[in-house]
Amino acid sequence: MAEPNTNTQNTPETQAPPAKPAPEYIAALEDIRAIAQGANDQHRTMTWREAVETWEQAQGASDERARAAFFVHIGIATTGECLLLDGVEDDA
C-alpha cells in the first residue's frame, strides 16, 4: 500500500503563481504609435513616453530593461537607459 504524499513543497497551494511574461514593447510598436497619435482614453496626442506608460497600464505589466530597449529601438533612449542596457551601474 502506498504511503500518502507528505511533501508540501510541490503542491499547488505552496507554488508561487507563474510569473507574468515581460511585455513585448517592440512587437507592440504600432499599438503604442496609435496611442501616441490619439487612440487613447484622453483622445489627445501624447509623447512616446506617455504612450508607453498608457500601454503599460493597459497591459498591467512593465519591464524596465525591455522599455529601455524599445526607446533605443525608436531612437529616444536617455543616457541612463543606455547604461541600464549596458549593465553599467549609475553611481550618481
Side-chain angles (χ1 to χ4, degrees), residues 49 68 71-72 76-88 90:
R49 292 182 183 278
F71 289 146
V72 167
I76 65 167
T78 64
T79 302
E81 289 160 343
C82 292
L83 290 173
L84 173 69
L85 292 174
D86 289 340
V88 178
D90 186 13

Side-chain angles (χ1 to χ4, degrees), residues 16-51:
K20 210 173 199 184
E24 296 185 23
Y25 295 82
I26 295 173
L29 175 67
E30 292 305 319
D31 294 338
I32 295 170
R33 181 190 316 273
I35 292 168
Q37 292 177 339
N40 56 66
D41 292 341
Q42 299 172 10
H43 303 290
R44 68 174 181 88
T45 57
M46 298 180 169
T47 66
W48 278 102
R49 292 182 183 278
E50 289 176 309

